[in-house]
């Protein structure tokens, strides 16, 4: 199983989608992930939050597409709670 990618502000995830998966997290329950192959050939598994999951669906992300997932930092929501803000770009493999 690929290593879990750690989202960090100055370290965007860029690579080719190799698949989608999921696992049961001890604390957070079922987690959906995307498997991405980096330029180095290493494969990592990135956990998808609701924003990333729906972004993948909207952009019709599928195996073979290029993907950029970038953590932009924390942002305060309208209800006062803090959340991670992401930039998601899917480039279709023509």
């Amino acid at each position: 199983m690929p290593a879990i990618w750690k989202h960090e502000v100055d370290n965007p995830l860029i690579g080719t989608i190799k698949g989608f998966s999921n696992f049961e997290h001890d604390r957070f329950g079922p987690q959906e992930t995307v498997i991405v192959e980096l330029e180095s050939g290493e494969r990592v598994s990135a956990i998808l939050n609701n924003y990333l999951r729906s972004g993948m669906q909207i952009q019709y992300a599928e195996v073979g597409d290029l993907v950029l997932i970038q953590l932009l930092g924390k942002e305060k929501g309208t209800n006062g709670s803090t959340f991670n803000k992401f930039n998601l770009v899917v480039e279709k493999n023509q």
Side-chain angles (χ1 to χ4, degrees), residues 13 25 84 93:
L13 173 57
H25 191 283
N84 285 329
N93 180 15

Side-chain angles (χ1 to χ4, degrees), residues 18-37:
K18 290 297 178 182
F20 297 89
S21 188
N22 54 65
F23 70 96
E24 191 70 31
H25 191 283
D26 296 342
R27 208 165 96 216
F28 303 112
Q31 299 292 311
E32 288 188 48
T33 63
V34 60
I35 311 297
V36 176
E37 185 173 88

Side-chain angles (χ1 to χ4, degrees), residues 2 7 9 14 27 34 36 41 64 94:
H7 294 293
V9 172
I14 303 170
R27 208 165 96 216
V34 60
V36 176
Q94 298 304 335

Side-chain angles (χ1 to χ4, degrees), residues 5 7-14 51-52 67-73 84-89:
W5 177 263
H7 294 293
E8 296 168 320
V9 172
D10 296 328
N11 191 16
L13 173 57
I14 303 170
Y51 173 82
L52 293 174
V67 68
L68 160 80
I69 301 175
Q70 186 175 21
L71 176 60
L72 301 175
N84 285 329
K85 184 170 183 177
F86 285 95
N87 178 27
L88 171 68
V89 178

Side-chain angles (χ1 to χ4, degrees), residues 29-83:
Q31 299 292 311
E32 288 188 48
T33 63
V34 60
I35 311 297
V36 176
E37 185 173 88
L38 309 177
E39 278 184 329
S40 65
E42 180 190 0
R43 288 189 179 196
V44 296
S45 175
I47 294 175
L48 299 174
N49 65 9
N50 289 339
Y51 173 82
L52 293 174
R53 192 167 51 242
S54 63
M56 291 270 185
Q57 291 170 342
I58 291 166
Q59 297 186 51
Y60 301 106
E62 52 196 358
V63 172
D65 292 346
L66 288 175
V67 68
L68 160 80
I69 301 175
Q70 186 175 21
L71 176 60
L72 301 175
K74 300 269 187 205
E75 191 157 291
K76 231 185 203 353
T78 48
N79 61 359
S81 66
T82 305
F83 63 94

